[in-house]
Amino acid sequence: MAPYASDENTTAGEGDEQRSGRRKAARYVVPVTVMGVAAATIGLVPALADSGDPDLPKITAQQLIEKIAKSDVQQLSGTVKISTDLGLPDLGGLESSLMSGAASPDGGGSSADPTSKLTELASGTHTLRVALDGPDKQKLSLLENAAEYSLVHNGKDVWGYDSKSNEVYHGTAAQSPEHEKGQPPATPKDFAEEALKAVDDTTSVTVDGTAQVAGRDAYKLLIKPKQSGSTVGAVTVAVDAKTGTPLKFTLTPASGGAAVVDAGFTQVSFDRPAASTFDFTPPKGAKVTEEKAIEEKAIEEKAIEEKAIEEKASAEAGARKHTRHAPKAGEDLGKGAGGLDGMKTLGEGWNAIAVLDTGGEGVPSGGAGGDLGGFVNSLGDKVTGKFGSGTVFSTRLVNALITDDGKVYVGMVTKDALVKAADAGK
């Protein structure tokens, strides 16, 4: 952890990691997958404590962050409640399916695949049971109405089980890190680690008193952007006074109102869980999908997609030879063949904005885009500026602007900040 300027106004040099996180967010080209952006960036925000203010020894912000960093809890079990309110429109169930699609590159596979299943945590209120016994034994269960989803890591095996569909996902510990990278935070510790990555010299970090969470005494770490223009109001992490384990995490938006994310233990024990907690055998009759099969399918579909792009580019090149069309200034003649190589970041800290030129034509109108165009435009707000015109898609945390000439601006900043950034690019 980098040294801090003071005990009451603390900074850390984690800017590169934060910018990297924002670049990842930019790959979700809105409007529809703005849901995916919100899910991917949830980790930058947390929630606050229960009741009671225990009398604890004084501690500085630097000391408290160091306490979190040194925490090495190997055994734990408990219940976590997560509430997420991104302010997304009611899409009648479409929201969750879109999030699942954003997190699952192949768009299919098993319903028990954690890459898609755990994205449900990105909206609504959920109850989780968690257990930990060293680096090789973890279990997380998502409790649903008359159903349960469990993710179990025991030694070399990683199992996912969806009781509703009676489907099982099976991978190995050597393969699972790629899935873990795509999963949203699930425990207060996950959220806290992501939030601390965003701390840099644009951030104020202080100790904001004490609290009691799940019957344990805790300190409250308060993280706030120094800059104006961010949609993030404040992040509060309740840290167990004895172990340094984050017990609760809350993000409040700059716009006020309910927390965007509130994740905290309602019950916790640091005793070793029973060994049987991590046992798993696929139920009789369950459909079992191996991770290797999912990966092979994704590779095959990607190859088909790349071939289609190449054939389309070849056909367009041939058509240009037989027309009087002259390339326009700045026209991308390789349109469709590139990825996100042109992505860049504007600004810094909590006001950083990821920018990508898709080479496209912006958001389709209702007439040009048919039913999809009308649906998409109903979710966004039309804006104009020196850059021309475009559409802003908003949540309470992440906003995204797509200009009519195909540029995408995404960040945890206000709509006005996005318009200003687009204007500055002209």
Side-chain angles (χ1 to χ4, degrees), residues 30-106:
V30 284
V32 177
T33 51
V34 71
M35 320 312 185
V37 182
T41 55
I42 279 180
L44 296 177
V45 293
L48 194 46
D50 295 347
S51 59
D53 297 320
D55 186 14
L56 297 173
K58 295 294 184 181
I59 191 171
T60 66
Q62 179 178 350
Q63 290 170 335
L64 187 52
I65 289 180
E66 290 174 350
K67 191 176 185 70
I68 297 172
K70 292 177 181 178
S71 178
D72 188 30
V73 171
Q74 295 293 309
Q75 288 84 36
L76 177 150
S77 62
T79 303
V80 176
K81 182 178 179 181
I82 298 180
S83 295
T84 308
D85 180 9
L86 292 169
L88 299 175
D90 182 4
L91 304 180
L94 179 60
E95 170 189 325
S96 59
S97 63
L98 290 173
M99 286 183 173
S100 297
S104 181
D106 62 336

Side-chain angles (χ1 to χ4, degrees), residues 171-182:
T172 66
Q175 297 170 315
S176 61
E178 287 305 312
H179 282 277
E180 291 173 0
K181 290 176 185 177

Side-chain angles (χ1 to χ4, degrees), residues 29-361:
V29 178
V30 284
V32 177
T33 51
V34 71
M35 320 312 185
V37 182
T41 55
I42 279 180
L44 296 177
V45 293
L48 194 46
D50 295 347
S51 59
D53 297 320
D55 186 14
L56 297 173
K58 295 294 184 181
I59 191 171
T60 66
Q62 179 178 350
Q63 290 170 335
L64 187 52
I65 289 180
E66 290 174 350
K67 191 176 185 70
I68 297 172
K70 292 177 181 178
S71 178
D72 188 30
V73 171
Q74 295 293 309
Q75 288 84 36
L76 177 150
S77 62
T79 303
V80 176
K81 182 178 179 181
I82 298 180
S83 295
T84 308
D85 180 9
L86 292 169
L88 299 175
D90 182 4
L91 304 180
L94 179 60
E95 170 189 325
S96 59
S97 63
L98 290 173
M99 286 183 173
S100 297
S104 181
D106 62 336
S110 171
S111 67
D113 186 342
T115 305
S116 58
K117 188 64 179 179
L118 294 185
T119 58
E120 294 180 11
L121 301 179
S123 64
T125 297
H126 303 275
T127 299
L128 304 174
R129 283 202 300 258
V130 298
L132 166 70
D133 186 6
D136 296 325
K137 291 184 178 181
Q138 299 98 31
K139 182 176 182 178
L140 182 152
S141 297
L142 172 60
L143 308 183
E144 303 172 315
N145 292 331
E148 179 176 324
Y149 174 79
S150 293
L151 179 62
V152 181
H153 172 208
N154 191 347
K156 67 179 181 63
D157 292 307
V158 177
W159 298 96
Y161 176 58
D162 184 359
S163 68
K164 185 175 182 180
S165 63
N166 199 28
E167 291 193 24
V168 174
Y169 156 93
H170 179 233
T172 66
Q175 297 170 315
S176 61
E178 287 305 312
H179 282 277
E180 291 173 0
K181 290 176 185 177
Q183 295 171 16
T187 68
K189 181 180 179 182
D190 295 335
F191 283 101
E193 288 176 347
E194 292 299 318
L196 290 174
K197 289 178 184 178
V199 173
D200 60 12
D201 59 6
T202 67
T203 309
S204 166
V205 183
T206 58
V207 177
D208 190 34
T210 63
Q212 194 169 74
V213 179
R216 297 186 65 88
D217 294 345
Y219 293 100
K220 296 188 296 184
L221 187 69
L222 181 63
I223 303 171
K224 299 179 68 174
K226 292 180 181 178
Q227 306 160 304
S228 61
S230 174
T231 54
V232 176
V235 167
T236 306
V237 183
V239 182
D240 185 62
K242 185 175 181 180
T243 67
T245 302
L247 297 176
K248 197 167 186 182
F249 178 97
T250 300
L251 169 95
T252 52
S255 59
V260 173
V261 177
D262 184 275
F265 282 98
T266 58
Q267 181 275 325
V268 65
S269 169
F270 293 98
D271 296 331
R272 172 170 286 174
S276 59
T277 302
F278 309 100
D279 292 339
F280 182 82
T281 300
K284 185 177 180 180
K287 175 186 175 183
V288 179
T289 302
E290 295 290 335
E291 181 176 42
K292 186 176 181 180
I294 296 175
E295 292 176 343
E296 288 176 347
K297 180 181 177 182
I299 292 172
E300 180 182 349
E301 291 183 348
K302 183 177 181 181
I304 294 174
E305 180 182 357
E306 289 177 345
K307 183 178 180 180
I309 290 174
E310 290 176 359
E311 291 176 347
K312 180 180 179 181
S314 177
E316 290 177 347
R320 281 196 292 268
K321 292 180 181 179
H322 300 284
T323 66
R324 297 181 179 181
H325 166 73
K328 299 177 182 179
E331 180 180 2
D332 181 9
L333 298 180
K335 182 171 127 182
L340 303 182
D341 296 338
M343 192 187 309
K344 60 182 179 179
T345 301
L346 302 178
E348 61 178 355
W350 300 86
N351 285 12
I353 298 172
V355 184
L356 173 67
D357 190 346
T358 67
E361 299 178 355

